[in-house]
Amino acid sequence: MEKVITAHQLTKKFGQFIATNAITFDVKAGEIFGFLGANGAGKTTAMRMLCGLSKPSSGEAKIAGYDIYTQTESIKQHIGYMSQKFSLYEDLTVTENIRFFGGIYGLSQQQIKEKSDALIQRLELSSVAHTLLSSLPLGWKQKLAFSVAILHEPKIVFLDEPTGGVDPVTRRQFWDLIYEAAAKGITIFVTTHYMDEAEYCDRISIMVDGKMEALGTPLELKQQFKAVTMDEVFYILARGAKRIE
């Protein structure tokens, strides 16, 4: 399968501090790739480099075929991004948010109308389509934010702890949306601190103190570390961590 993310010895330093230390991995098209680690492990720093928002100190990487040093604008056109903190506008309605971001992504007015109508219907938001986002429950906002992040059908969507603070039922519904997107060929790159969500990923990497200490499917990692759950795997790796946020 096509590799849409490739990273080799990717490193980011801030003075003498090495935030991300020579990480190497690749991600295939349509894969759900979990990027795990405790606070301070280097996850967000790595994600910012992969999104073209921060230049590496050394190493190489390509995102959707584009170089992260010289083609950052092309990268941004082919990815979606949902931050840990809610990323839509609270003082706009549901419909206004969809139309606004559709315009940013360069969709035509006809495309925006068609995608907006389809999205509202699919998420069952018709009754609140003209309601300010600030008055909606967090779970609804998060599902909408994810759907807007893939409105332009990017090759890759980066999700930074997207289910933080939502209830278990809403988390499960959110993952249903992730599965739907992956089935359409969109690659999902997701950070999470919920170890049960790690089980939903095709493959997982676990970072400790800036280094990638494990990489494989959930089953492979549980077998490798002789663990029953991903919680146990994570504890085995993270208990020796020296860095904290």
Side-chain angles (χ1 to χ4, degrees):
M1 294 177 65
E2 177 193 5
K3 294 178 181 179
V4 294
I5 299 176
T6 60
H8 181 69
Q9 298 290 301
L10 197 61
T11 300
K12 181 68 176 183
K13 296 181 180 179
F14 297 96
Q16 297 300 310
F17 178 71
I18 304 175
T20 305
N21 192 348
I23 60 174
T24 297
F25 66 99
D26 56 58
V27 182
K28 299 178 180 66
E31 187 172 20
I32 301 174
F33 188 83
F35 201 62
L36 312 182
N39 288 342
K43 303 187 306 297
T44 299
T45 298
M47 183 178 283
R48 286 180 57 81
M49 288 190 287
L50 297 175
C51 289
L53 299 174
S54 178
K55 188 160 288 189
S57 302
S58 62
E60 303 171 353
K62 286 190 175 181
I63 310 300
Y66 298 102
D67 184 83
I68 60 171
Y69 290 96
T70 61
Q71 298 174 298
T72 56
E73 290 307 310
S74 295
I75 288 173
K76 292 171 188 176
Q77 292 172 13
H78 289 83
I79 66 171
Y81 178 75
M82 180 180 166
S83 68
Q84 182 178 3
K85 295 180 179 178
F86 186 58
S87 52
L88 300 183
Y89 288 97
E90 297 271 320
D91 56 349
L92 296 180
T93 68
V94 169
T95 300
E96 287 169 342
N97 265 288
I98 298 171
R99 290 176 177 170
F100 176 76
F101 282 94
I104 287 178
Y105 294 141
L107 301 179
S108 68
Q109 289 299 314
Q110 182 63 27
Q111 287 176 315
I112 291 172
K113 184 181 186 312
E114 291 174 355
K115 287 179 177 290
S116 177
D117 292 345
L119 178 54
I120 288 171
Q121 183 175 0
R122 182 162 58 86
L123 294 181
E124 299 180 347
L125 294 175
S126 298
S127 63
V128 294
H130 301 293
T131 301
L132 289 179
L133 221 61
S134 57
S135 64
L136 298 185
L138 176 61
W140 289 21
K141 294 176 183 178
Q142 296 296 74
K143 287 187 284 188
L144 179 62
F146 173 73
S147 299
V148 167
I150 61 172
L151 194 67
H152 57 310
E153 300 177 11
K155 286 190 174 183
I156 308 156
V157 61
F158 290 89
L159 308 175
D160 190 3
E161 298 194 6
T163 57
V166 302
D167 63 85
V169 173
T170 303
R171 282 207 287 134
R172 181 66 251 188
Q173 293 172 342
F174 190 93
W175 274 89
D176 286 340
L177 295 177
I178 289 178
Y179 288 144
E180 288 176 16
K184 295 177 181 176
I186 297 176
T187 301
I188 313 294
F189 188 99
V190 56
T191 69
T192 179
H193 61 270
Y194 293 114
M195 288 302 107
D196 61 318
E197 291 187 347
E199 301 275 5
Y200 304 156
C201 299
D202 296 315
R203 283 192 304 145
I204 301 160
S205 70
I206 299 179
M207 289 189 66
V208 179
D209 291 345
K211 296 180 180 179
M212 189 172 285
E213 295 290 357
L215 176 63
T217 68
L219 179 59
E220 288 170 346
L221 295 186
K222 285 185 285 189
Q223 290 176 339
Q224 179 182 345
F225 292 95
K226 297 179 174 58
V228 176
T229 66
M230 284 305 303
D231 269 311
E232 292 179 35
V233 174
F234 186 79
Y235 176 72
I236 290 168
L237 288 168
R239 64 186 174 187
K242 297 179 174 59
R243 288 177 5 190
I244 58 174
E245 210 171 48

